[in-house]
Amino acid sequence: MSAVKIMVVDDDRHIAELISLYLRKEGFETKEVYNGRVAVETFAAYAPFLVLLDLMLPEMDGYQVCREIRRMSSVPIIMLSAKGETFDKVLGLELGADDYLVKPFEPKELVARVKAVLRRYENKSTGSPRVIVLPNLSIDADKLTVFYHGRPLELPPKEFELLYYLASHPGQPFTRDQLLNTCWGYDFAGDTRTVDVHIKRLREKMRNDDPWGIKTVWGTGYKFEV
């Protein structure tokens, strides 16, 4: 099983490296980013499981970065800041942060907070994931939103259902009848060509160079391959 990826965003390289060192000791994979704007750009491509986000950043502060990430995904965010005032904490949490840690902090406490937030997030995501985050793709089933290469992708309801259903079962092949029954219902009067038409439209809206995609399983149907 691949390691859980964490994006560490802090303009102080020494602090970012120290945090990464402790997280890697616990088996996490990390990516360090030192700029707010770059953090937003990196998020979509790296697809982390959790973001550690400092507030004082060049170009975009942590609040702005948090707001932009929340437009794309509900992935857990822990804010890090030397500001310990209640107002700053409340603002961070209202913008969508899952936790808030005041500097200076003990690395062991940070690791414990990371594990606790990941556990809470995992418990909320039992069964099919409600939010799917992949490189350059984020699908939120609750908000009915898709972000592709950092931009919103407008999809009709059935195209959205098809994409979400396939992406939430990576590697599993489905027949056209199965997809028809799941996304259109057993009483749908159309035929399996309906599935082919919608798959074709989805493919036309996406590139061919992403590390995932809807693949044809010849003689069977389709699967989402990562």
Side-chain angles (χ1 to χ4, degrees):
M1 185 177 177
S2 59
V4 171
K5 298 189 294 184
I6 297 177
M7 189 167 77
V8 181
V9 188
D10 198 307
D11 66 329
D12 188 321
R13 289 174 180 261
H14 175 71
I15 292 177
E17 289 169 3
L18 185 64
I19 291 172
S20 287
L21 178 65
Y22 276 91
L23 290 172
R24 286 197 296 270
K25 281 183 180 178
E26 295 293 323
F28 296 106
E29 175 190 322
T30 64
K31 188 173 189 68
E32 297 157 28
V33 184
Y34 316 109
N35 174 292
R37 179 184 55 77
V38 175
V40 174
E41 294 170 355
T42 302
F43 176 82
Y46 185 57
F49 288 74
L50 181 142
V51 178
L52 291 171
L53 180 60
D54 186 37
L55 284 183
M56 305 301 290
L57 297 168
E59 294 199 55
M60 291 176 68
D61 65 30
Y63 294 126
Q64 292 172 300
V65 174
C66 181
R67 190 181 292 113
E68 288 301 309
I69 289 177
R70 276 292 165 263
R71 287 180 60 242
M72 295 184 276
S73 170
S74 62
V75 69
I77 298 173
I78 299 178
M79 282 190 167
L80 310 174
S81 176
K83 297 181 177 181
E85 288 81 4
T86 301
F87 170 79
D88 297 300
K89 292 181 182 179
V90 170
L91 178 57
L93 295 171
E94 284 183 344
L95 286 173
D98 297 83
D99 203 350
Y100 190 108
L101 195 55
V102 178
K103 296 178 179 179
F105 49 79
E106 286 291 326
K108 288 182 179 179
E109 181 185 1
L110 174 62
V111 171
R113 296 278 191 105
V114 165
K115 290 181 177 179
V117 168
L118 284 171
R119 276 196 303 271
R120 291 202 302 269
Y121 187 75
E122 186 178 348
N123 289 338
K124 287 195 296 184
S125 303
T126 52
S128 293
R130 300 298 292 170
V131 178
I132 299 168
V133 179
L134 295 166
N136 305 321
L137 179 69
S138 173
I139 309 169
D140 191 320
D142 293 319
K143 297 179 182 176
L144 300 178
T145 56
V146 176
F147 280 84
Y148 182 58
H149 286 264
R151 299 182 179 223
L153 182 64
E154 300 296 332
L155 295 179
K158 290 307 174 191
E159 286 181 31
F160 179 89
E161 287 182 48
L162 258 181
L163 178 63
Y164 171 73
Y165 185 70
L166 287 167
S168 63
H169 298 84
Q172 183 175 341
F174 293 97
T175 67
R176 291 169 175 82
D177 283 325
Q178 285 176 314
L179 295 172
L180 200 63
N181 291 334
T182 299
C183 298
W184 278 266
Y186 287 96
D187 57 351
F188 180 68
D191 60 30
T192 55
R193 284 176 297 180
T194 302
V195 175
D196 296 332
V197 170
H198 282 73
I199 292 289
K200 183 181 178 215
R201 288 174 182 164
L202 275 172
R203 285 172 168 169
E204 287 171 349
K205 294 172 183 176
M206 297 177 182
R207 304 178 189 172
N208 294 319
D209 58 349
D210 293 300
W212 46 262
I214 300 173
K215 306 297 182 184
T216 300
V217 182
W218 297 109
T220 303
Y222 300 96
K223 69 176 179 178
F224 191 91
E225 196 170 85
V226 178

PDB file of all heavy atoms in Angstrom, residues 33-54:
ATOM      1  N   VAL A  33       6.290  22.860   0.234  1.00  0.00           N
ATOM      2  CA  VAL A  33       6.005  24.010  -0.620  1.00  0.00           C
ATOM      3  C   VAL A  33       6.186  25.264   0.229  1.00  0.00           C
ATOM      4  O   VAL A  33       5.784  25.281   1.394  1.00  0.00           O
ATOM      5  CB  VAL A  33       4.563  23.960  -1.191  1.00  0.00           C
ATOM      6  CG1 VAL A  33       4.326  25.105  -2.147  1.00  0.00           C
ATOM      7  CG2 VAL A  33       4.316  22.630  -1.896  1.00  0.00           C
ATOM      8  N   TYR A  34       6.788  26.315  -0.352  1.00  0.00           N
ATOM      9  CA  TYR A  34       7.154  27.490   0.450  1.00  0.00           C
ATOM     10  C   TYR A  34       6.420  28.764   0.019  1.00  0.00           C
ATOM     11  O   TYR A  34       6.745  29.849   0.477  1.00  0.00           O
ATOM     12  CB  TYR A  34       8.671  27.720   0.348  1.00  0.00           C
ATOM     13  CG  TYR A  34       9.470  26.448   0.475  1.00  0.00           C
ATOM     14  CD1 TYR A  34      10.123  25.895  -0.623  1.00  0.00           C
ATOM     15  CD2 TYR A  34       9.544  25.772   1.691  1.00  0.00           C
ATOM     16  CE1 TYR A  34      10.840  24.714  -0.519  1.00  0.00           C
ATOM     17  CE2 TYR A  34      10.260  24.586   1.810  1.00  0.00           C
ATOM     18  CZ  TYR A  34      10.901  24.066   0.702  1.00  0.00           C
ATOM     19  OH  TYR A  34      11.608  22.885   0.822  1.00  0.00           O
ATOM     20  N   ASN A  35       5.431  28.630  -0.835  1.00  0.00           N
ATOM     21  CA  ASN A  35       4.761  29.791  -1.418  1.00  0.00           C
ATOM     22  C   ASN A  35       3.267  29.482  -1.551  1.00  0.00           C
ATOM     23  O   ASN A  35       2.893  28.383  -1.960  1.00  0.00           O
ATOM     24  CB  ASN A  35       5.410  30.065  -2.788  1.00  0.00           C
ATOM     25  CG  ASN A  35       4.730  31.158  -3.575  1.00  0.00           C
ATOM     26  OD1 ASN A  35       3.595  31.004  -4.017  1.00  0.00           O
ATOM     27  ND2 ASN A  35       5.424  32.264  -3.783  1.00  0.00           N
ATOM     28  N   GLY A  36       2.411  30.436  -1.208  1.00  0.00           N
ATOM     29  CA  GLY A  36       0.975  30.200  -1.229  1.00  0.00           C
ATOM     30  C   GLY A  36       0.420  29.899  -2.602  1.00  0.00           C
ATOM     31  O   GLY A  36      -0.358  28.964  -2.794  1.00  0.00           O
ATOM     32  N   ARG A  37       0.814  30.688  -3.582  1.00  0.00           N
ATOM     33  CA  ARG A  37       0.315  30.472  -4.946  1.00  0.00           C
ATOM     34  C   ARG A  37       0.765  29.112  -5.483  1.00  0.00           C
ATOM     35  O   ARG A  37      -0.015  28.369  -6.083  1.00  0.00           O
ATOM     36  CB  ARG A  37       0.812  31.587  -5.869  1.00  0.00           C
ATOM     37  CG  ARG A  37       0.368  31.425  -7.319  1.00  0.00           C
ATOM     38  CD  ARG A  37       0.965  32.512  -8.205  1.00  0.00           C
ATOM     39  NE  ARG A  37       2.407  32.552  -8.103  1.00  0.00           N
ATOM     40  CZ  ARG A  37       3.224  31.680  -8.711  1.00  0.00           C
ATOM     41  NH1 ARG A  37       2.726  30.702  -9.448  1.00  0.00           N
ATOM     42  NH2 ARG A  37       4.535  31.791  -8.576  1.00  0.00           N
ATOM     43  N   VAL A  38       2.028  28.774  -5.223  1.00  0.00           N
ATOM     44  CA  VAL A  38       2.552  27.485  -5.680  1.00  0.00           C
ATOM     45  C   VAL A  38       1.830  26.336  -4.968  1.00  0.00           C
ATOM     46  O   VAL A  38       1.596  25.276  -5.552  1.00  0.00           O
ATOM     47  CB  VAL A  38       4.072  27.404  -5.430  1.00  0.00           C
ATOM     48  CG1 VAL A  38       4.602  26.017  -5.791  1.00  0.00           C
ATOM     49  CG2 VAL A  38       4.802  28.466  -6.240  1.00  0.00           C
ATOM     50  N   ALA A  39       1.439  26.560  -3.718  1.00  0.00           N
ATOM     51  CA  ALA A  39       0.724  25.518  -2.967  1.00  0.00           C
ATOM     52  C   ALA A  39      -0.589  25.161  -3.638  1.00  0.00           C
ATOM     53  O   ALA A  39      -0.946  23.983  -3.752  1.00  0.00           O
ATOM     54  CB  ALA A  39       0.475  25.981  -1.533  1.00  0.00           C
ATOM     55  N   VAL A  40      -1.319  26.175  -4.105  1.00  0.00           N
ATOM     56  CA  VAL A  40      -2.595  25.925  -4.792  1.00  0.00           C
ATOM     57  C   VAL A  40      -2.354  25.157  -6.087  1.00  0.00           C
ATOM     58  O   VAL A  40      -3.074  24.210  -6.414  1.00  0.00           O
ATOM     59  CB  VAL A  40      -3.331  27.248  -5.073  1.00  0.00           C
ATOM     60  CG1 VAL A  40      -4.579  27.008  -5.916  1.00  0.00           C
ATOM     61  CG2 VAL A  40      -3.723  27.924  -3.751  1.00  0.00           C
ATOM     62  N   GLU A  41      -1.324  25.547  -6.821  1.00  0.00           N
ATOM     63  CA  GLU A  41      -1.001  24.877  -8.087  1.00  0.00           C
ATOM     64  C   GLU A  41      -0.549  23.430  -7.840  1.00  0.00           C
ATOM     65  O   GLU A  41      -0.893  22.518  -8.601  1.00  0.00           O
ATOM     66  CB  GLU A  41       0.089  25.644  -8.829  1.00  0.00           C
ATOM     67  CG  GLU A  41      -0.345  27.031  -9.290  1.00  0.00           C
ATOM     68  CD  GLU A  41       0.824  27.859  -9.816  1.00  0.00           C
ATOM     69  OE1 GLU A  41       1.984  27.375  -9.717  1.00  0.00           O
ATOM     70  OE2 GLU A  41       0.585  28.979 -10.303  1.00  0.00           O
ATOM     71  N   THR A  42       0.224  23.240  -6.765  1.00  0.00           N
ATOM     72  CA  THR A  42       0.772  21.910  -6.470  1.00  0.00           C
ATOM     73  C   THR A  42      -0.305  20.967  -5.965  1.00  0.00           C
ATOM     74  O   THR A  42      -0.243  19.760  -6.218  1.00  0.00           O
ATOM     75  CB  THR A  42       1.896  22.030  -5.418  1.00  0.00           C
ATOM     76  OG1 THR A  42       2.907  22.905  -5.917  1.00  0.00           O
ATOM     77  CG2 THR A  42       2.517  20.675  -5.113  1.00  0.00           C
ATOM     78  N   PHE A  43      -1.300  21.502  -5.265  1.00  0.00           N
ATOM     79  CA  PHE A  43      -2.320  20.664  -4.646  1.00  0.00           C
ATOM     80  C   PHE A  43      -2.997  19.746  -5.656  1.00  0.00           C
ATOM     81  O   PHE A  43      -3.126  18.539  -5.438  1.00  0.00           O
ATOM     82  CB  PHE A  43      -3.372  21.524  -3.943  1.00  0.00           C
ATOM     83  CG  PHE A  43      -4.504  20.718  -3.372  1.00  0.00           C
ATOM     84  CD1 PHE A  43      -4.383  20.097  -2.148  1.00  0.00           C
ATOM     85  CD2 PHE A  43      -5.693  20.557  -4.073  1.00  0.00           C
ATOM     86  CE1 PHE A  43      -5.411  19.319  -1.624  1.00  0.00           C
ATOM     87  CE2 PHE A  43      -6.724  19.793  -3.569  1.00  0.00           C
ATOM     88  CZ  PHE A  43      -6.580  19.173  -2.329  1.00  0.00           C
ATOM     89  N   ALA A  44      -3.437  20.302  -6.775  1.00  0.00           N
ATOM     90  CA  ALA A  44      -4.179  19.508  -7.762  1.00  0.00           C
ATOM     91  C   ALA A  44      -3.316  18.397  -8.351  1.00  0.00           C
ATOM     92  O   ALA A  44      -3.791  17.284  -8.583  1.00  0.00           O
ATOM     93  CB  ALA A  44      -4.709  20.400  -8.865  1.00  0.00           C
ATOM     94  N   ALA A  45      -2.025  18.690  -8.585  1.00  0.00           N
ATOM     95  CA  ALA A  45      -1.149  17.701  -9.208  1.00  0.00           C
ATOM     96  C   ALA A  45      -0.674  16.642  -8.214  1.00  0.00           C
ATOM     97  O   ALA A  45      -0.585  15.463  -8.549  1.00  0.00           O
ATOM     98  CB  ALA A  45       0.049  18.401  -9.841  1.00  0.00           C
ATOM     99  N   TYR A  46      -0.389  17.055  -6.976  1.00  0.00           N
ATOM    100  CA  TYR A  46       0.164  16.124  -5.981  1.00  0.00           C
ATOM    101  C   TYR A  46      -0.922  15.275  -5.325  1.00  0.00           C
ATOM    102  O   TYR A  46      -0.696  14.139  -4.936  1.00  0.00           O
ATOM    103  CB  TYR A  46       0.941  16.906  -4.928  1.00  0.00           C
ATOM    104  CG  TYR A  46       1.652  16.055  -3.903  1.00  0.00           C
ATOM    105  CD1 TYR A  46       2.589  15.097  -4.287  1.00  0.00           C
ATOM    106  CD2 TYR A  46       1.382  16.212  -2.539  1.00  0.00           C
ATOM    107  CE1 TYR A  46       3.244  14.320  -3.345  1.00  0.00           C
ATOM    108  CE2 TYR A  46       2.034  15.445  -1.596  1.00  0.00           C
ATOM    109  CZ  TYR A  46       2.967  14.504  -1.994  1.00  0.00           C
ATOM    110  OH  TYR A  46       3.605  13.730  -1.051  1.00  0.00           O
ATOM    111  N   ALA A  47      -2.126  15.820  -5.206  1.00  0.00           N
ATOM    112  CA  ALA A  47      -3.272  15.118  -4.606  1.00  0.00           C
ATOM    113  C   ALA A  47      -2.945  14.550  -3.225  1.00  0.00           C
ATOM    114  O   ALA A  47      -3.010  13.344  -2.992  1.00  0.00           O
ATOM    115  CB  ALA A  47      -3.744  13.998  -5.532  1.00  0.00           C
ATOM    116  N   PRO A  48      -2.603  15.425  -2.252  1.00  0.00           N
ATOM    117  CA  PRO A  48      -2.269  14.933  -0.913  1.00  0.00           C
ATOM    118  C   PRO A  48      -3.500  14.454  -0.158  1.00  0.00           C
ATOM    119  O   PRO A  48      -4.630  14.825  -0.479  1.00  0.00           O
ATOM    120  CB  PRO A  48      -1.670  16.170  -0.240  1.00  0.00           C
ATOM    121  CG  PRO A  48      -2.364  17.321  -0.891  1.00  0.00           C
ATOM    122  CD  PRO A  48      -2.555  16.899  -2.327  1.00  0.00           C
ATOM    123  N   PHE A  49      -3.265  13.625   0.866  1.00  0.00           N
ATOM    124  CA  PHE A  49      -4.338  13.164   1.741  1.00  0.00           C
ATOM    125  C   PHE A  49      -4.611  14.194   2.838  1.00  0.00           C
ATOM    126  O   PHE A  49      -5.675  14.179   3.454  1.00  0.00           O
ATOM    127  CB  PHE A  49      -3.968  11.835   2.387  1.00  0.00           C
ATOM    128  CG  PHE A  49      -3.990  10.670   1.437  1.00  0.00           C
ATOM    129  CD1 PHE A  49      -2.991  10.503   0.495  1.00  0.00           C
ATOM    130  CD2 PHE A  49      -5.014   9.737   1.480  1.00  0.00           C
ATOM    131  CE1 PHE A  49      -3.009   9.435  -0.381  1.00  0.00           C
ATOM    132  CE2 PHE A  49      -5.042   8.665   0.608  1.00  0.00           C
ATOM    133  CZ  PHE A  49      -4.036   8.516  -0.333  1.00  0.00           C
ATOM    134  N   LEU A  50      -3.626  15.076   3.116  1.00  0.00           N
ATOM    135  CA  LEU A  50      -3.761  16.087   4.173  1.00  0.00           C
ATOM    136  C   LEU A  50      -2.804  17.225   3.859  1.00  0.00           C
ATOM    137  O   LEU A  50      -1.744  17.015   3.271  1.00  0.00           O
ATOM    138  CB  LEU A  50      -3.451  15.473   5.541  1.00  0.00           C
ATOM    139  CG  LEU A  50      -3.567  16.380   6.778  1.00  0.00           C
ATOM    140  CD1 LEU A  50      -4.159  15.602   7.965  1.00  0.00           C
ATOM    141  CD2 LEU A  50      -2.203  16.944   7.183  1.00  0.00           C
ATOM    142  N   VAL A  51      -3.190  18.449   4.267  1.00  0.00           N
ATOM    143  CA  VAL A  51      -2.357  19.628   4.046  1.00  0.00           C
ATOM    144  C   VAL A  51      -2.044  20.277   5.390  1.00  0.00           C
ATOM    145  O   VAL A  51      -2.949  20.546   6.179  1.00  0.00           O
ATOM    146  CB  VAL A  51      -3.062  20.660   3.134  1.00  0.00           C
ATOM    147  CG1 VAL A  51      -2.185  21.902   2.959  1.00  0.00           C
ATOM    148  CG2 VAL A  51      -3.395  20.044   1.784  1.00  0.00           C
ATOM    149  N   LEU A  52      -0.747  20.509   5.646  1.00  0.00           N
ATOM    150  CA  LEU A  52      -0.310  21.312   6.791  1.00  0.00           C
ATOM    151  C   LEU A  52      -0.012  22.702   6.244  1.00  0.00           C
ATOM    152  O   LEU A  52       0.863  22.858   5.384  1.00  0.00           O
ATOM    153  CB  LEU A  52       0.933  20.706   7.441  1.00  0.00           C
ATOM    154  CG  LEU A  52       0.708  19.379   8.173  1.00  0.00           C
ATOM    155  CD1 LEU A  52       2.035  18.769   8.593  1.00  0.00           C
ATOM    156  CD2 LEU A  52      -0.176  19.591   9.397  1.00  0.00           C
ATOM    157  N   LEU A  53      -0.728  23.711   6.737  1.00  0.00           N
ATOM    158  CA  LEU A  53      -0.743  25.015   6.072  1.00  0.00           C
ATOM    159  C   LEU A  53      -0.399  26.152   7.029  1.00  0.00           C
ATOM    160  O   LEU A  53      -1.166  26.470   7.948  1.00  0.00           O
ATOM    161  CB  LEU A  53      -2.140  25.237   5.472  1.00  0.00           C
ATOM    162  CG  LEU A  53      -2.404  26.526   4.729  1.00  0.00           C
ATOM    163  CD1 LEU A  53      -1.474  26.675   3.530  1.00  0.00           C
ATOM    164  CD2 LEU A  53      -3.863  26.578   4.278  1.00  0.00           C
ATOM    165  N   ASP A  54       0.755  26.772   6.802  1.00  0.00           N
ATOM    166  CA  ASP A  54       1.144  27.959   7.568  1.00  0.00           C
ATOM    167  C   ASP A  54       0.317  29.154   7.099  1.00  0.00           C
ATOM    168  O   ASP A  54      -0.127  29.202   5.943  1.00  0.00           O
ATOM    169  CB  ASP A  54       2.641  28.221   7.363  1.00  0.00           C
ATOM    170  CG  ASP A  54       3.140  29.354   8.246  1.00  0.00           C
ATOM    171  OD1 ASP A  54       2.668  29.457   9.391  1.00  0.00           O
ATOM    172  OD2 ASP A  54       3.988  30.139   7.791  1.00  0.00           O
TER     173      ASP A  54
END
